[in-house]
């Protein structure tokens, strides 16, 4: 006998949350619009924290991700050797709860979004915004990163 303390890791909570919210969005209990609102609410602290906490390795990885996404047109999540711009940005925050929540929302949106539903020039505008975010994060300017 005895007392046992179960430790729950942030990754486990993220997996559970992603599965649960993914099921809810798949059955229309949560709309894509609600997910976009959540994403916008999480992006502000994410870019601020990334600008404040980033290391030089994050800048290199952000450049690589942005170049790859522009070149291939792919924002696919999955290959740990080729993280997306958002994955690197989240990593640059220093992790923790905001990083987990942001990653979960990004992955659910990526699975729900159909490329055919996006307006013309959408990805070009995203790339331009990502470039501006990269420049602000590299400069260590959280206000400029947030303003994008």
């Amino acid at each position: 006998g005895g007392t046992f303390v179960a430790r729950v890791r942030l990754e486990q909570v993220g997996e559970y949350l992603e599965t649960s919210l993914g099921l809810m969005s798949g059955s229309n209990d949560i709309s894509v619009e609600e997910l976009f609102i959540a994403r916008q609410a999480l992006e502000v602290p994410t870019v601020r924290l990334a600008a404040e906490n980033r290391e030089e390795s994050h800048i290199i990885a952000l450049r690589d991700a942005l170049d790859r996404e522009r070149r291939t047109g792919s924002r696919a999540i999955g290959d740990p050797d080729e993280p997306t711009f958002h994955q690197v940005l989240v990593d640059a925050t220093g992790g923790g709860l905001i990083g987990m929540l942001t990653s979960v929302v990004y992955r659910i949106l990526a699975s729900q979004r159909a490329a055919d539903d996006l307006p013309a020039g959408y990805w070009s505008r995203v790339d331009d915004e990502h470039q501006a975010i990269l420049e602000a994060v590299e400069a260590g300017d959280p206000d400029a990163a947030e303003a994008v």
Side-chain angles (χ1 to χ4, degrees):
T3 303
F4 295 92
V5 177
R7 288 196 73 198
V8 178
R9 293 185 338 271
L10 206 52
E11 296 82 26
Q12 292 170 305
V13 174
E15 291 167 6
Y16 175 78
L17 186 60
E18 183 175 350
T19 299
S20 299
L21 293 176
L23 288 169
M24 291 175 76
S25 68
S27 62
N28 294 321
D29 291 329
I30 296 175
S31 69
V32 172
E33 181 180 353
E34 288 176 288
L35 289 167
F36 271 109
I37 291 168
R39 185 189 85 171
Q40 289 171 336
L42 291 165
E43 281 183 336
V44 172
T46 298
V47 296
R48 285 194 72 80
L49 286 167
E52 293 168 353
N53 298 321
R54 61 84 173 165
E55 297 176 5
E56 190 59 32
S57 61
H58 294 118
I59 300 303
I60 294 166
L62 284 168
R63 273 204 174 85
D64 290 347
L66 183 56
D67 289 345
R68 183 176 51 258
E69 290 170 7
R70 281 185 167 148
R71 188 179 64 253
T72 66
S74 174
R75 274 79 177 167
I77 297 172
D79 186 349
D81 293 329
E82 293 189 344
T84 66
F85 185 86
H86 287 140
Q87 287 172 307
V88 177
L89 202 61
V90 165
D91 186 51
T93 68
L97 185 59
I98 191 74
M100 181 273 289
L101 292 171
T102 304
S103 293
V104 165
V105 171
Y106 284 153
R107 285 192 302 267
I108 294 168
L109 276 171
S111 71
Q112 296 291 320
R113 196 171 14 198
D116 298 341
D117 295 338
L118 299 173
Y122 176 83
W123 290 118
S124 178
R125 285 190 299 278
V126 167
D127 290 340
D128 291 345
E129 287 177 6
H130 285 179
Q131 182 64 46
I133 290 169
L134 168 61
E135 291 168 7
V137 168
E138 182 174 22
D141 187 342
D143 294 330
E146 180 179 317
V148 177

